[in-house]
Amino acid sequence: MAAKIFAYLFVFLALSGMVASDPDLLQDLCVAKKASGTKVNGFPCKDEANVTEADFFFSGLANPGVINNSVGSVVTGANVEKIPGLNTLGVSLARIDYEPGGLNPPHTHPRATEIIFVIDGELDVAFITTANKLISKSIKKGDIFVFPKGLVHFQKNNGGKPASVIAGFNSQLPGTQSIAATLFTSTPAVPDNVLTKAFQIGTKEVDKIKNKLAPKKS
């Protein structure tokens, strides 16, 4: 059963590569040379003589991630930052784990469409269109749901046990912007008078939200 599940996922990835949102590759491979200081749209290519199988391998999605935050979810990426061989290939994966009641807060992926496959548990998922329409669905183990590129979306575990999904993206590095964190914890900070007017709240409420969302000091 597990083999069939991942077969479906890899078929999706193969197809998404044909219509990837990232630029098309111009050679067989371009393993990311992340240590290079050169700034390009993606990463410079490692010398092919130095390419090994390790550049195309990652085992980090095999087990649930450790959840240690107030929202009750954790995302483990399998993108070009973890798998250098994905550079220019226009695909990546992630695993998202949720504790009971856990939330993957409203966010966007500016460079990719996302498709999730539920490997355990149940979730309430949704995205919001630019016409401000909420498209929502309750999904369970074995189900698939798609979040269109750039639209705000979220997942919530309303079940009584942990849940997990595998997510596929048609980008080597889809990017993530969490709505609340982006607005209330940016550097430099978004001016308070912008936040108070946009959300119709006072400065005390803004400060409370900023304090709650601020990264925890280790």
Side-chain angles (χ1 to χ4, degrees):
M1 180 62 181
K4 185 179 291 186
I5 288 170
F6 281 99
Y8 290 149
L9 187 58
F10 286 129
V11 167
F12 158 75
L13 290 172
L15 291 174
S16 69
M18 299 177 192
V19 292
S21 59
D22 290 354
D24 288 337
L25 65 164
L26 299 176
Q27 61 280 316
D28 288 344
L29 50 87
C30 175
V31 173
K33 187 177 181 181
K34 294 184 289 184
S36 171
T38 305
K39 297 291 186 181
V40 297
N41 188 24
F43 293 94
C45 302
K46 178 193 279 191
D47 189 321
E48 195 163 332
N50 298 324
V51 171
T52 71
E53 72 282 353
D55 293 316
F56 300 88
F57 177 79
F58 180 64
S59 61
L61 303 190
N63 299 308
V66 177
I67 299 173
N68 186 25
N69 55 51
S70 60
V71 296
S73 71
V74 63
V75 179
T76 305
N79 51 46
V80 70
E81 293 180 335
K82 301 286 182 63
I83 310 173
L86 286 178
N87 194 39
T88 74
L89 298 186
V91 293
S92 60
L93 292 175
R95 174 177 177 140
I96 313 169
D97 296 292
Y98 318 76
E99 63 186 19
L103 171 72
N104 189 11
H107 62 282
T108 70
H109 301 295
R111 296 185 289 274
T113 292
E114 176 181 4
I115 183 169
I116 61 172
F117 180 89
V118 184
I119 56 177
D120 201 16
E122 299 180 0
L123 296 167
D124 291 333
V125 301
F127 64 85
I128 304 166
T129 71
T130 55
N132 221 29
K133 180 178 180 178
L134 180 73
I135 307 292
S136 61
K137 178 76 174 173
S138 294
I139 58 177
K140 62 185 185 304
K141 183 176 180 178
D143 288 345
I144 289 172
F145 196 81
V146 177
F147 303 103
K149 177 180 176 180
L151 295 186
V152 175
H153 61 281
F154 59 87
Q155 305 105 33
K156 178 77 162 61
N157 181 4
N158 285 325
K161 66 174 187 176
S164 300
V165 306
I166 295 294
F169 303 92
N170 62 331
S171 172
Q172 67 181 38
L173 195 63
T176 300
Q177 279 195 305
S178 177
I179 305 305
T182 296
L183 290 171
F184 288 92
T185 67
S186 69
T187 304
V190 176
D192 282 359
N193 60 3
V194 172
L195 297 173
T196 55
K197 195 170 187 66
F199 291 96
Q200 297 295 291
I201 57 177
T203 53
K204 288 184 178 180
E205 286 77 11
V206 169
D207 289 339
K208 286 180 181 179
I209 295 172
K210 286 183 176 180
N211 289 334
K212 287 184 177 181
L213 294 177
K216 300 295 186 291
K217 295 181 180 180
S218 55

